[in-house]
């Protein structure tokens, strides 16, 4: 087997508490489309469009080119390059037919060390794979929904010719060049014994693979037998319950309408501004973002923000290096040194 069995997230991480505050976010999540061709049972899209609008105020849409262009230009106003840009969203990236063009333009602008796409892969074709390779995509992460067509009907509510699907991944892998190709699957999508089959199918046509644990990420979705009280992330790692959410300290997300949010969750806890009438760099360094971060550091997430209180991201997708709880007071002093000075004076 050629592939490494490791989580598909970035593993080359710094200790966040030592790095903040950042003059440039590490990551930008570009929600260039929120349309999806699947309705996976553990995803918000299982609620349907009306259900998602009622639960989250969510409207599926594709990012207009003027929003993309403004985002790209505004990335240049930060003092450093982003560590990575993720072409993702609360949907399927390949539903936007201009994706290869967006990747190529992002790559040419040289505003990020890495470009990645997170996809279910079902819309891959030989032509799209070639276009993504030619565009210079650095990394593609494919979420697998089982190891046969039956599993896709059961868990994704989609008809997928699984053999053809594997052929598309193999085609991409054999021609990808320096691109990294990762796959992951939820263990809940595998019948007993199918973990071995997963490794056998993808072990020689991917660079990294992993079986994740489904966590109750989306409020309103029925997660039978799941709760948010277990301090275990989706990678199966147990940890102390986290109060401070680290996401807002190192990432931004741009929604299709241009809204800028300090995390990549569907709950959109605060809108810092819009790229059509403001600069992302000003939003990142502005009072709204600083106040939001301070709220986290003061352990007020569960009381001061309705949407943050509904979110399990700190205990689900945050890595051990991201944890900020222990150093919260010291970090708060970095964000608000005048407060620390007054405290010392007293």
């Amino acid at each position: 087997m050629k592939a490494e069995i490791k989580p598909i997230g970035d593993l080359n991480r710094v200790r966040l508490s030592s790095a903040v505050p950042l003059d440039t976010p590490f990551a930008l999540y570009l929600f260039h489309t929120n349309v999806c061709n699947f309705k996976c049972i553990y995803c918000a899209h299982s609620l349907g469009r009306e259900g998602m609008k009622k639960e989250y105020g969510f409207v599926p849409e594709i990012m207009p080119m003027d929003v993309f262009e403004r985002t790209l230009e505004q990335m240049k106003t930060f003092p450093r390059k982003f560590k990575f840009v993720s072409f993702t969203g609360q949907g399927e990236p390949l539903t936007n037919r201009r994706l290869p063009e967006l990747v190529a333009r992002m790559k040419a602008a040289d505003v990020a060390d890495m470009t990645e796409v997170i996809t279910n892969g079902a819309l891959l074709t030989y032509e799209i794979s070639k276009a993504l390779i030619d565009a210079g995509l650095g990394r593609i992460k494919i979420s697998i929904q089982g190891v046969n067509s039956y599993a896709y009907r059961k868990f994704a509510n989609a008809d997928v010719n699984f053999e053809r699907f594997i052929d598309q991944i193999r085609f991409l892998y054999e021609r990808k060049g320096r691109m990294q190709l990762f796959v992951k699957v939820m263990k809940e999508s595998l019948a007993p014994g199918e973990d071995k089959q997963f490794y056998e199918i993808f072990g020689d046509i991917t660079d990294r693979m992993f079986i994740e644990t489904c966590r109750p990420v989306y409020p309103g979705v029925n997660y039978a037998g799941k709760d948010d009280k277990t301090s275990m992330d989706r990678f199966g790692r147990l940890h102390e319950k986290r109060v401070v959410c680290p996401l807002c300290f190192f990432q931004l997300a741009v929604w299709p309408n241009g809204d800028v949010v300090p995390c990549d969750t569907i709950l959109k806890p605060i809108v810092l501004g819009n790229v059509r009438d403001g600069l992302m760099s000003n939003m990142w360094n502005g009072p709204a973002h600083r106040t939001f971060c301070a709220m986290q550091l003061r352990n007020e997430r569960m009381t001061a923000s309705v949407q943050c209180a509904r979110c399990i991201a700190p205990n689900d997708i945050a890595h051990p290096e991201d944890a900020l709880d222990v150093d919260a007071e010291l970090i708060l002093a970095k964000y608000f040194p005048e407060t620390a000075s007054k405290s010392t004076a007293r």
Side-chain angles (χ1 to χ4, degrees):
M1 185 171 70
K2 299 176 183 178
E4 295 182 293
I5 301 176
K6 292 181 179 179
I8 67 171
D10 286 286
L11 302 180
N12 185 24
R13 309 181 81 83
V14 301
R15 188 166 177 258
L16 187 60
S17 61
S18 299
V20 295
L22 304 175
D23 57 14
T24 304
F26 287 154
L28 179 73
Y29 289 86
L30 193 64
F31 289 16
H32 64 102
T33 176
N34 282 340
V35 177
C36 196
N37 56 324
F38 282 6
K39 289 186 177 180
C40 298
I41 61 173
Y42 34 69
C43 177
H45 282 275
S46 65
L47 301 176
R49 293 197 174 192
E50 289 303 314
M52 293 179 75
K53 185 175 183 179
K54 179 180 179 181
E55 190 71 41
Y56 318 111
F58 181 95
V59 178
E61 54 188 332
I62 291 177
M63 180 179 283
M65 282 304 294
D66 73 297
V67 172
F68 173 79
E69 289 164 358
R70 286 174 183 264
T71 301
L72 186 58
E73 286 305 308
Q74 290 185 26
M75 292 175 71
K76 299 175 183 178
T77 67
F78 286 92
R80 306 172 196 272
K81 291 200 295 185
F82 288 71
K83 298 293 185 184
F84 71 88
V85 174
S86 185
F87 288 86
T88 181
Q90 303 298 331
E92 167 49 47
L94 293 177
T95 59
N96 185 347
R97 296 184 179 181
R98 301 187 75 163
L99 176 60
E101 175 191 351
L102 304 185
V103 172
R105 292 182 62 178
M106 185 68 69
K107 184 75 174 178
D110 194 30
V111 290
D113 294 330
M114 172 66 71
T115 54
E116 72 171 23
V117 167
I118 303 176
T119 174
N120 61 42
L123 297 177
L124 280 175
T125 63
Y126 300 148
E127 292 72 24
I128 290 174
S129 291
K130 291 176 182 176
L132 290 174
I133 294 168
D134 291 343
L137 181 66
R139 180 167 60 213
I140 186 166
K141 299 177 179 179
I142 303 177
S143 298
I144 308 299
Q145 308 303 321
V147 292
N148 50 57
S149 297
Y150 170 77
Y152 272 79
R153 288 191 294 272
K154 180 178 179 180
F155 296 105
N157 291 291
D159 288 321
V160 172
N161 183 319
F162 192 70
E163 295 304 318
R164 186 181 301 161
F165 174 65
I166 298 303
D167 177 68
Q168 292 295 336
I169 295 179
R170 182 179 293 106
F171 178 89
L172 177 58
Y173 180 79
E174 291 174 350
R175 292 160 178 80
K176 67 184 180 64
R178 298 178 64 183
M179 181 196 298
Q180 299 172 326
L181 196 163
F182 301 164
V183 300
K184 62 98 170 176
V185 68
M186 294 289 186
K187 72 176 184 180
E188 288 77 6
S189 299
L190 300 174
E194 287 185 342
D195 53 341
K196 181 180 179 181
Q197 192 174 351
F198 169 71
Y199 293 129
E200 290 174 347
I201 292 172
F202 297 101
D204 289 327
I205 57 173
T206 61
D207 296 304
R208 192 188 297 176
M209 57 197 306
F210 201 74
I211 299 175
E212 296 183 355
T213 299
C214 180
R215 308 295 295 129
V217 177
Y218 297 103
V221 174
N222 180 21
Y223 293 93
K226 298 285 182 181
D227 63 64
D228 61 358
K229 297 180 176 59
T230 302
S231 295
M232 182 180 74
D233 62 27
R234 64 179 58 193
F235 311 112
R237 299 175 299 205
L238 292 170
H239 56 79
E240 294 292 327
K241 194 79 170 179
R242 296 169 184 147
V243 178
V244 180
C245 181
L247 303 190
C248 60
F249 293 87
F250 69 90
Q251 62 178 241
L252 285 176
V254 182
W255 284 65
N257 66 351
D259 282 349
V260 179
V261 181
C263 67
D264 63 336
T265 71
I266 198 172
L267 295 170
K268 214 173 188 179
I270 182 175
V271 176
L272 301 176
N274 191 287
V275 297
R276 282 184 162 136
D277 52 31
L279 280 176
M280 283 195 298
S281 53
N282 290 342
M283 300 173 205
W284 178 254
N285 295 302
H289 184 236
R290 291 177 75 232
T291 300
F292 186 78
C293 290
M295 177 270 290
Q296 300 286 347
L297 295 167
R298 293 190 181 108
N299 294 343
E300 296 172 354
R301 180 172 67 92
M302 303 302 290
T303 56
S305 171
V306 173
Q307 297 294 51
C308 287
R310 305 174 72 203
C311 182
I312 69 165
N315 296 298
D316 172 40
I317 59 175
H319 292 258
E321 297 87 349
D322 303 336
L324 299 178
D325 290 61
V326 173
D327 298 310
E329 289 188 14
L330 293 175
I331 299 169
L332 187 62
K334 290 182 182 180
Y335 276 81
F336 297 95
E338 67 279 6
T339 302
S341 299
K342 292 178 182 178
S343 176
T344 302
R346 287 197 295 269

